[in-house]
Amino acid sequence: MTPSWRKPAGAFAIVALIIIWCVAVASLSRIVGEWPVLIQLVFYVFTGIVWILPLKPLLLWMETGRWRVPKD
């Protein structure tokens, strides 16, 4: 069985996604730092969860080569 090139490419994409997301959120820290603490908490919890959403199709592509589950 020959290893697929999609797994290393997908792993690289996941790392790139995390780095880009961290830079984007961190660039807003000066603005967010002026908000009330509870609003900051909501913002950081939300942004800490949202980056996971693109992972499902990416992981599916890494395993199957398709971006969506085929409809039967």
Side-chain angles (χ1 to χ4, degrees), residues 66 68-72:
R66 297 178 185 206
R68 295 187 181 133
V69 177
K71 295 180 182 176
D72 293 332

Side-chain angles (χ1 to χ4, degrees), residues 9-42:
F12 177 76
I14 290 171
V15 171
L17 172 71
I18 292 170
I19 291 170
I20 291 167
W21 192 252
C22 287
V23 169
V25 171
S27 68
L28 296 173
S29 66
R30 187 170 297 198
I31 297 167
V32 175
E34 297 174 0
W35 298 352
V37 174
L38 290 177
I39 303 297
Q40 289 181 43
L41 175 68
V42 171

Side-chain angles (χ1 to χ4, degrees), residues 7 10 14-15 19 21-24 32 36 40 44-47 51 54-57 59 65 67 72:
K7 292 199 179 189
I14 290 171
V15 171
I19 291 170
W21 192 252
C22 287
V23 169
V32 175
Q40 289 181 43
Y44 286 120
V45 167
F46 178 76
T47 57
W51 72 270
L55 289 184
K56 183 176 180 180
L59 291 171
W67 289 101
D72 293 332

Side-chain angles (χ1 to χ4, degrees), residues 2-13 58 61-63 65 67:
T2 306
S4 171
W5 62 271
R6 288 189 310 265
K7 292 199 179 189
F12 177 76
L58 181 59
W61 173 79
M62 287 170 63
E63 289 295 322
W67 289 101

